[in-house]
């Protein structure tokens, strides 16, 4: 099963088109569209990344336990989970960028750092996914798979929320 077929690319385009309409959804706190886009970006990013992390952890469990099953049992599911990760992170990235553009007057160091880390992570993921050269693949794996990059992204998102949300 391939999520990035011609049919699914159309679905992704429709979802990207629907992001602004989701952001205009009415809620009790009367948040602006830009704030809603920020929350959409955060939640879609959490779902996208946790799905891949949980899959990778689940893939390692049978080898740790031993007789439950083989890692090869998970092999057919890796590509769809990876495609889901890419699709949802793309949606979250564009929602976050639109959020930042709409609120550019409130730009601070944390927000700018978050935009840079998000862009670097997205660019290294594109390099990893779309290139065929050995050296570029190695760069993509080294850059995109850094644990410190994921920790930095989470810390910046939390700091961004704490400095901009009024409790």
């Amino acid at each position: 099963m391939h999520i990035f077929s011609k049919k699914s690319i159309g679905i992704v385009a429709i979802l990207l088109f629907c992001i602004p309409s989701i952001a205009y959804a009415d809620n009790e706190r009367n948040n602006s569209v830009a704030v809603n886009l920020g929350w959409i970006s955060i939640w879609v990013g959490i779902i996208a990344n946790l799905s891949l992390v949980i899959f990778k952890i689940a893939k390692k469990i049978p080898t740790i336990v031993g007789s439950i099953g083989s890692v090869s049992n998970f092999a057919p599911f890796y590509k769809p989970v990876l495609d889901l990760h890419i699709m949802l992170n793309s949606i979250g990235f564009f929602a976050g960028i639109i959020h930042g553009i709409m609120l550019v007057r409130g730009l601070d160091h944390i927000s700018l750092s978050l935009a840079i880390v998000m862009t670097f992570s997205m660019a290294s993921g594109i390099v990893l996914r779309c290139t065929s050269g050995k050296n570029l693949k190695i760069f993509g794996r080294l850059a995109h798979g850094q644990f410190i990059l994921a920790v930095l992204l989470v810390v910046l998102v939390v700091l961004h929320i704490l400095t901009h949300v009024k409790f």
Side-chain angles (χ1 to χ4, degrees):
M1 180 175 136
H2 229 351
I3 290 181
F4 278 149
S5 65
K6 289 180 183 179
K7 181 179 172 183
S8 65
I9 290 175
I11 293 170
V12 171
I14 290 170
L15 287 173
L16 285 173
F17 182 74
C18 290
I19 285 176
S21 65
I22 294 170
Y24 278 103
D26 194 18
N27 61 15
E28 298 168 3
R29 291 184 280 168
N30 289 330
N31 286 339
S32 70
V33 174
V35 173
N36 288 342
L37 281 171
W39 286 112
I40 289 169
S41 178
I42 289 170
W43 285 109
V44 168
I46 288 171
I47 293 167
N49 292 310
L50 280 182
S51 65
L52 188 64
V53 168
I54 290 170
F55 177 80
K56 286 187 176 189
I57 290 171
K59 190 171 80 169
K60 291 180 182 179
I61 289 175
T63 58
I64 294 170
V65 176
S67 63
I68 291 178
S70 172
V71 175
S72 63
N73 293 343
F74 288 99
F77 300 109
Y78 180 71
K79 193 75 165 161
V81 170
L82 183 63
D83 287 344
L84 179 71
H85 170 79
I86 292 168
M87 186 176 11
L88 290 178
N89 270 330
S90 299
I91 291 168
F93 173 77
F94 288 113
I97 293 299
I98 294 169
H99 162 81
I101 290 171
M102 292 174 79
L103 297 174
V104 73
R105 290 181 188 215
L107 185 66
D108 60 349
H109 300 299
I110 295 170
S111 303
L112 181 61
S113 300
L114 179 59
I116 291 169
V117 171
M118 283 174 49
T119 304
F120 179 78
S121 183
M122 187 73 173
S124 63
I126 290 170
V127 166
L128 184 60
R129 176 66 179 205
C130 297
T131 59
S132 59
K134 183 179 179 183
N135 291 335
L136 283 174
K137 285 282 190 186
I138 292 171
F139 166 76
R141 282 193 188 102
L142 288 174
H144 193 73
Q146 289 296 316
F147 180 73
I148 192 71
L149 185 67
V151 170
L152 182 62
L153 187 62
V154 169
V155 167
L156 287 172
V157 167
V158 169
L159 286 174
H160 181 74
I161 291 170
L162 290 176
T163 58
H164 287 85
V165 174
K166 297 173 184 167
F167 294 103

